[in-house]
Structures are given as C-alpha cells and as structure tokens.
C-alpha cells in the first residue's frame, strides 16, 4: 500500500455500502488518509482491516460528527444509499459544521436536488459512476476523468495559469508536462480538436491524455 498523503487533509466517507466501501478502498489505494463511518457494526468490523480508521456512529447526529473530528477533513463524502432521510440529515449536519466540500450520493433526481439545496457541493449517481473514478475526482483538480487501464487516462482540466497566452504547440509530448492535449474549449466556444496554433486564454478547458500520474500532475498546476 502506498504512503499516506499528509498534506491534503484526507477524506471522510460516511456509509459503507457497496459504493462507499469501494470508494474508501480506492482512496486508500491512491495514498489518501480515510476516515470511514457507518452505523452498522457488522460493516465496521468487516472493513476495519482494510481502511485506516473505521468507526461506528450515527452520522445524522451532528454531535457525533463533531466528536469524530469530521470537521478536520476538508472533503467528506456521504455515500448513504439506503435512506434518503439519513443522507439529507447527514449533509445538513456537515453543512452546519462548516465542512467546505461535501460530496453526496443521490438515488434520484429529486434526491439530488434536495442534497444540493442543503449544502452538497457535488452530487454522485453511483449507477453511472465507479468508485475509482469518483476517488480521482475528489482528490484532484480534474473536472472529469476516464481511466482505460494499462495506466492510461483522459482528463478534462482547466488551463493552468502558467500556460495562459501560450499556443498549444508548446505542450508537445516531449514537454515537461508529459501530457498530450487532444482538445480545447475557449470561453464562449465549443470544444475543438487541438490545433498547435490555438492560444490559450483565461477560463479555457483542456482535454489531455497520458498516464494517470501525468494527468494528475498536470491538473495540479491549475
């Protein structure tokens, strides 16, 4: 298992159903500290050997969240799927505690709207999202991410400030960034195939390809 990242504040995952445990283990494999919370003691016992910290608690209780130190985590994922009420109350509690970035699982469009209205910054539909993909999005600055296996990925990222005003030809594969730009979207325009002469402007979005590590490093420049 890779070394834990100590400077990113880690991620708290609430709810260890199929999606939650898959997400938590993916984050752990990516080297991030994970606090996993579930009210079911059997689930807590089952996943304790595989995750950093697994605790049994009722996340709908604001006091329990505070006692567990959830406010120390800049990113919290509410992966509860069995109870709409529990997921909404948990997101509301996290909002009241001032958690800056809340991701929440939704089971329907109506559920998603409610989660957004009570403070969820990102809404996830597990039927369309894999745990690995969401893990990458949570802990990086990528806007979107697709992994194809064999350590190859395509990502959507904002243009780094250092590249504003520069043409795409300066981002050749041999460049220190190590990624290939395959598409670009300038503000007010549609996505287009990458043209070497395209000059990047503030607010531009790029589609880049490369190894997972390369696209992650490039995204961190934004």
């Amino acid at each position: 298992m890779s070394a834990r990242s100590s400077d990113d504040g880690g991620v708290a995952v609430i709810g260890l159903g199929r999606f939650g445990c898959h997400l938590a283990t993916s984050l752990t494999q990516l080297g991030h500290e994970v606090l996993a919370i579930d009210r079911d003691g059997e689930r807590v016992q089952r996943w304790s050997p595989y995750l950093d910290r697994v605790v049994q608690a009722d996340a709908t209780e604001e006091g329990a969240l505070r006692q567990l130190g959830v406010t120390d985590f800049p990113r919290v994922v509410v992966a509860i799927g069995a109870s709409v009420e529990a997921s909404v109350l948990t997101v509301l509690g996290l909002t009241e505690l001032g958690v800056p970035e809340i991701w929440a699982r939704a089971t329907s469009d109506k559920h998603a709207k409610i989660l957004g209205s009570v403070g969820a910054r990102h809404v996830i539909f597990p039927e369309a999202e894999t745990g690995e993909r969401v893990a990458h999005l949570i802990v990086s600055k990528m806007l979107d991410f697709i992994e194809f296996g064999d350590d190859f990925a395509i990502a959507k990222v904002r243009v780094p400030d250092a590249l504003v005003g520069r043409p795409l030809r300066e981002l050749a594969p041999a460049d220190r960034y190590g990624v290939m730009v395959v598409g670009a979207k300038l503000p007010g325009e549609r996505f287009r195939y990458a043209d070497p002469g395209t000059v990047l402007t503030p607010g531009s979005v790029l589609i880049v390809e490369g190894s997972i590590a390369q696209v992650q490093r490039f995204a961190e420049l934004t």
Side-chain angles (χ1 to χ4, degrees):
M1 189 176 293
S2 55
R4 293 285 173 269
S5 297
S6 59
D7 59 349
D8 68 351
V11 183
V13 177
I14 300 173
L16 288 175
R18 180 183 299 178
F19 178 75
C21 65
H22 200 175
L23 173 64
T25 53
S26 294
L27 288 166
T28 299
Q29 290 167 0
L30 287 171
H32 295 273
E33 177 190 359
V34 173
L35 166 64
I37 303 168
D38 198 287
R39 65 167 57 180
D40 188 312
E42 185 177 331
R43 285 180 177 174
V44 168
Q45 186 174 9
R46 184 190 314 158
W47 289 103
S48 291
Y50 306 103
L51 300 170
D52 298 313
R53 283 179 63 200
V54 187
V55 295
Q56 182 179 1
D58 184 354
T60 64
E61 297 291 337
E62 189 177 317
L65 294 173
R66 184 184 292 107
Q67 187 174 4
L68 289 172
V70 172
T71 53
D72 295 333
F73 290 79
R75 293 158 296 193
V76 179
V77 184
V78 179
I80 299 170
S83 170
V84 171
E85 180 183 3
S87 72
V88 172
L89 289 175
T90 300
V91 169
L92 184 58
L94 293 168
T95 302
E96 292 292 324
L97 289 172
V99 174
E101 190 168 342
I102 303 170
W103 295 63
R105 170 185 179 172
T107 55
S108 68
D109 290 339
K110 183 180 291 186
H111 186 193
K113 289 180 181 179
I114 296 172
L115 290 171
S117 69
V118 297
R121 183 174 174 183
H122 307 275
V123 176
I124 310 159
F125 288 89
E127 292 75 13
E129 309 276 6
T130 65
E132 294 94 338
R133 180 171 179 272
V134 174
H136 280 286
L137 293 175
I138 289 172
V139 298
S140 77
K141 294 183 179 180
M142 293 182 285
L143 302 176
D144 206 347
F145 172 86
I146 302 174
E147 182 181 350
F148 291 91
D150 298 324
D151 193 33
F152 179 79
I154 292 179
K156 180 166 73 172
V157 301
R158 294 183 180 87
V159 61
D161 291 341
L163 301 181
V164 172
R166 295 172 58 183
L168 284 177
R169 67 170 58 91
E170 296 186 21
L171 277 76
D175 186 86
R176 64 190 175 92
Y177 299 109
V179 297
M180 168 75 80
V181 178
V182 296
K185 182 184 184 303
L186 277 60
E189 300 182 14
R190 295 187 176 188
F191 269 105
R192 65 175 78 166
Y193 286 112
D195 181 292
T198 299
V199 176
L200 302 172
T201 58
S204 297
V205 174
L206 304 177
I207 302 296
V208 300
E209 64 179 29
S211 70
I212 295 173
Q214 287 171 332
V215 297
Q216 286 180 327
R217 283 196 299 268
F218 187 77
E220 288 303 314
L221 297 173
T222 62

